Amino acid sequence: MRGTTVLAGGPCAASREGEPPVHRLDLSLPGQVPFAAGGFDAMGPMSRAAFPHRHTFYEIVHVVGGSGAHVLDLERYEVRPPQLGVILPGQVHHWEGVRGLEGSLVLFTPEFLVGGGGDEGLLRRLGERPWVGLDDAAHERTSLLMAELAEEYRCGADGFAGVLRSLLHVLLVRAARLPGAPARPAPPQGVAGEFLRLAGRAGADGLSVRECAVRLGVSPGHLAEAVRAATGRTPAALLREARTREAQRLLFSTELSVRQVAARVGFADPAYFCRFFRRETGRSPGDFRKHHDLRGPSIEDGSPAA
């Protein structure tokens, strides 16, 4: 394939000891597009990975057959085809107890998106409801688009990258129209949009608002004004949310000690981390890990099971 991925059997990118492995789009030649599309079998056995891992890229999965569950961050979703799933960069996921899993995947980096910040805004919306059931009409439309993406990618004819970007944009727009999708806010642009992209990484790196401002080349005051105008929230609140989410992922999907988790999300003092975590979630880290059982109830078609 023109742009292979670790799903085809290559090595994973290095991750910190004790953390879930990181999968990446691995382009073997200069000029190859950061994109891949095809069926589960074409992507290789790692496309059905049963162990927690995360990506540096986006993944859209169209499930057309099989049973089992898909575990994404802190939720388990029952496999009941046909369904559409979205995995964002940095999220931890795996397949659990799947049998006969069939469908197709589209993998791409943020740089590949034709709509830039607009398409990233659509993906953030889809990530709020990452697992949805499809009616017959939506399933047929999605099947056609996924097949076109895979065929265009496989053939690599003149101008194929532009066609892939256009088809992907159509897929994202139509997915965002599905019943139950979150209301569409105006996607943040400029400094606010750049901060939101950085915030996810900053959650794991423990960056402060001031450090984020330096990386973005603006003053902390300007950053605060831009982010509040675009989101209604402060940069500090969004960074706290990102750090809490990353801590939850590590507590949920690894055997790292609370002290190690604290260090991974930027807290030198484990006691302060425990106070922070309890304030943000209402539970201590140990209590969260103890009671967030992977064997809990599944979520079907994006809605709580009856």
Side-chain angles (χ1 to χ4, degrees):
M1 290 195 302
R2 180 169 294 93
T4 61
T5 77
V6 293
L7 298 179
C12 297
S15 58
R16 289 184 287 188
E17 183 178 359
E19 292 190 18
V22 180
H23 293 183
R24 70 192 185 279
L25 281 175
D26 187 12
L27 307 177
S28 57
L29 294 174
Q32 293 180 331
V33 296
F35 180 96
F40 279 98
D41 291 337
M43 292 295 181
M46 290 294 289
S47 63
R48 299 181 177 92
F51 58 89
H53 62 282
R54 64 172 103 209
H55 306 153
T56 62
F57 52 87
Y58 292 100
E59 176 177 339
I60 297 177
V61 55
H62 181 214
V63 178
V64 301
S67 62
H70 180 242
V71 181
L72 178 63
D73 278 346
L74 310 182
E75 304 290 353
R76 176 194 278 104
Y77 299 93
E78 196 76 17
V79 172
R80 292 181 179 271
Q83 292 166 310
L84 190 70
V86 177
I87 300 103
L88 306 181
Q91 290 188 303
V92 177
H93 83 114
H94 69 279
W95 297 97
E96 184 178 273
V98 293
R99 301 179 65 179
L101 183 64
E102 297 295 339
S104 53
L105 310 170
V106 174
L107 317 175
F108 53 95
T109 66
E111 294 76 20
F112 186 76
L113 295 170
V114 66
D119 277 357
E120 286 192 87
L122 287 172
L123 283 158
R124 282 195 294 271
R125 282 180 58 210
L126 293 172
E128 295 175 26
R129 189 170 181 258
W131 196 255
V132 296
L134 303 176
D135 61 24
D136 290 343
H139 174 46
E140 182 177 0
R141 288 193 298 268
T142 302
S143 296
L144 290 172
L145 273 172
M146 297 295 275
E148 282 193 83
L149 283 160
E151 179 66 12
E152 191 69 30
Y153 175 72
R154 185 184 67 81
C155 293
D158 289 346
F160 79 103
V163 174
L164 289 173
R165 288 186 174 94
S166 297
L167 290 172
L168 178 59
H169 179 69
V170 173
L171 177 64
L172 297 179
V173 170
R174 289 183 175 172
R177 293 175 181 170
L178 292 172
R184 181 175 187 175
Q189 302 292 335
V191 171
E194 292 176 12
F195 172 78
L196 289 178
R197 287 188 285 274
L198 178 60
R201 299 193 297 272
D205 295 339
L207 296 179
S208 66
V209 173
R210 180 174 295 278
E211 289 168 327
C212 289
V214 169
R215 290 199 179 191
L216 296 175
V218 298
S219 69
H222 178 71
L223 177 62
E225 291 178 4
V227 171
R228 185 183 289 277
T231 69
R233 305 181 65 188
T234 66
L238 292 168
L239 286 177
R240 288 197 303 272
E241 182 180 274
R243 295 175 87 179
T244 301
R245 183 168 55 245
E246 179 65 12
Q248 288 174 319
R249 286 172 178 155
L250 295 177
L251 289 166
F252 182 69
S253 61
T254 76
E255 296 182 359
L256 293 171
S257 68
V258 171
R259 178 181 293 274
Q260 289 172 314
V261 171
R264 299 293 167 90
V265 295
F267 289 88
D269 181 354
Y272 179 62
F273 166 71
C274 289
R275 293 194 296 272
F276 166 87
F277 191 88
R278 183 184 291 276
R279 184 177 68 245
E280 297 296 317
T281 68
R283 282 183 169 174
S284 70
D287 190 51
F288 174 87
R289 171 173 272 169
K290 178 180 178 181
H291 289 91
H292 216 293
D293 193 338
L294 275 172
R295 295 168 297 177
S298 295
I299 295 176
E300 302 177 4
D301 297 339
S303 302

